[in-house]
Amino acid sequence: MRFEGTADYVADKDLMVAVNAAIALERPLLVKGEPGTGKTELARQVAASLGLDLIEWHVKSTTRAQQGLYEYDAVSRLRDSQLGDERFNDIANYIKRGKLWEAFAAERKCVLLIDEIDKADIEFPNDLLQELDKMEFFVYETGETIRAVNRPIVIITSNNEKELPDAFLRRCFFHYIRFPDAETLTRIVEVHYPGIKQKLVSQALAQFYEIREMAGLKKKPSTSEALDWIRLLVADDVQPEDLRTDAKNALPRLHGALLKNEQDVHLFEKLAFMTRRQ
């Protein structure tokens, strides 16, 4: 069982090595990188490439580790006991399976995505140490132990918003997705927009990388934002020569797809003002 990329996802050699190493070691793959570099999509493409089902657990700031295992609805059980509902006699009726339970109980091997783990509380990763390591957990209400029938391929993503505990990192295989160079990003564009004019792509990406490298930029545009921008350029039938930055107007065409806060817009406007004064 080896991941070798897909026709819809451009994966470099190092990324494929990382995925296959995690599969061989049977350890979670922790993937970090800038937002919009394809971390979440990686799990979907690994599942598609290997012909496996995908279970997605999208973590939020309010997400608790216990929710990934199961949740016990004691309030509903109390209400049913007062109403004389027969469901009360079986406590299993009030237990909702979490995403880890779904993955452990799957009849065939699957891919489990734990997306943006760094959004949750700092203790969240620690609370999943044993479950991800031993691939089992105990359900106190029913007294049963849930063990993985088939050990899932676990892919965990992080935007590096906060540091993860050392004990958690020790149990993972780590890979950082570097921002793609111009050649790789050109291939990504071709995958998403087959037959696109190469001259437009070349001119657009040249300007895109100039924007990313501008000093003082608060948020650098990502791969997904580059794709959105190029899509808009094609939709508006923008010609390559029209993309050249006008000294009197430093803002790129359709800049709302690339610049996502007023500070960066003002930076370009200030640059245009200084250029005009000169």
Side-chain angles (χ1 to χ4, degrees):
M1 183 173 287
R2 292 183 61 81
F3 174 65
E4 297 181 351
T6 69
D8 299 324
Y9 188 85
V10 177
D12 61 24
K13 183 178 179 181
D14 289 342
L15 180 55
M16 289 188 285
V17 167
V19 172
N20 292 320
I23 293 174
L25 291 172
E26 295 188 327
R27 289 190 177 276
L29 172 63
L30 174 61
V31 184
K32 290 187 178 183
E34 291 183 30
T37 50
K39 301 185 296 297
T40 301
E41 187 62 24
L42 172 64
R44 295 167 182 157
Q45 295 300 325
V46 168
S49 173
L50 302 179
L52 304 177
D53 294 329
L54 174 66
I55 296 175
E56 301 186 37
W57 184 16
H58 298 285
V59 177
K60 301 179 181 179
S61 59
T62 56
T63 303
R64 295 177 293 104
Q66 181 64 33
Q67 293 172 312
L69 307 180
Y70 69 93
E71 291 183 277
Y72 170 54
D73 190 351
V75 174
S76 293
R77 191 175 187 224
L78 175 61
R79 183 194 63 228
D80 288 348
S81 68
Q82 294 171 337
L83 296 175
D85 194 317
E86 292 184 0
R87 283 168 48 86
F88 166 78
N89 297 317
D90 187 358
I91 196 170
N93 291 324
Y94 305 93
I95 292 178
K96 179 183 178 182
R97 295 185 178 188
K99 297 298 183 180
L100 264 72
W101 191 330
E102 289 181 24
F104 289 3
E107 294 182 356
R108 55 195 295 264
K109 197 177 191 70
C110 65
V111 175
L112 171 63
L113 167 65
I114 304 178
D115 197 29
E116 298 188 331
I117 193 172
D118 53 326
K119 278 188 176 181
D121 184 84
I122 188 63
E123 291 303 321
F124 181 90
N126 280 333
D127 292 341
L128 292 177
L129 284 180
Q130 296 301 319
E131 289 78 6
L132 290 176
D133 192 25
K134 295 184 178 181
M135 287 290 161
E136 66 178 42
F137 62 89
F138 185 72
V139 182
Y140 293 95
E141 289 77 8
T142 62
E144 61 181 325
T145 298
I146 305 301
R147 294 185 177 87
V149 178
N150 297 288
R151 195 178 184 98
I153 298 172
V154 182
I155 297 179
I156 303 170
T157 72
S158 168
N159 288 326
N160 226 10
E161 292 182 4
K162 61 170 67 84
E163 291 294 326
L164 299 175
D166 289 344
F168 180 80
L169 296 174
R170 190 168 63 248
R171 289 167 167 80
C172 299
F173 190 92
F174 172 76
H175 182 74
Y176 183 85
I177 298 182
R178 294 181 177 84
F179 194 84
D181 56 24
E183 181 181 349
T184 303
L185 190 49
T186 300
R187 290 169 54 203
I188 293 173
V189 172
E190 290 174 349
V191 166
H192 285 80
Y193 310 119
I196 190 173
K197 296 177 182 178
Q198 291 303 309
K199 189 175 180 181
L200 174 62
V201 173
S202 178
Q203 188 68 37
L205 292 186
Q207 188 173 13
F208 173 78
Y209 279 101
E210 287 176 6
I211 294 170
R212 272 188 60 88
E213 294 168 6
M214 179 169 286
L217 203 64
K218 184 176 181 180
K219 181 193 178 303
K220 295 182 179 181
S222 67
T223 304
S224 62
E225 288 161 341
L227 293 172
D228 288 344
W229 184 51
I230 291 174
R231 180 182 178 183
L232 289 173
L233 295 177
V234 172
D236 277 17
D237 196 25
V238 176
Q239 298 304 308
E241 53 272 15
D242 295 335
L243 279 175
R244 297 191 183 96
T245 303
D246 183 350
K248 296 181 180 180
N249 182 17
L251 281 169
R253 294 284 296 271
L254 301 164
H255 64 271
L258 298 176
L259 306 177
K260 298 302 177 70
N261 59 67
E262 62 277 13
Q263 293 96 320
D264 290 342
V265 173
H266 290 162
L267 178 64
F268 277 83
E269 290 174 340
K270 183 178 179 180
L271 177 63
F273 175 75
M274 294 174 64
T275 302
R276 286 195 296 269
R277 289 190 62 182
Q278 293 175 356

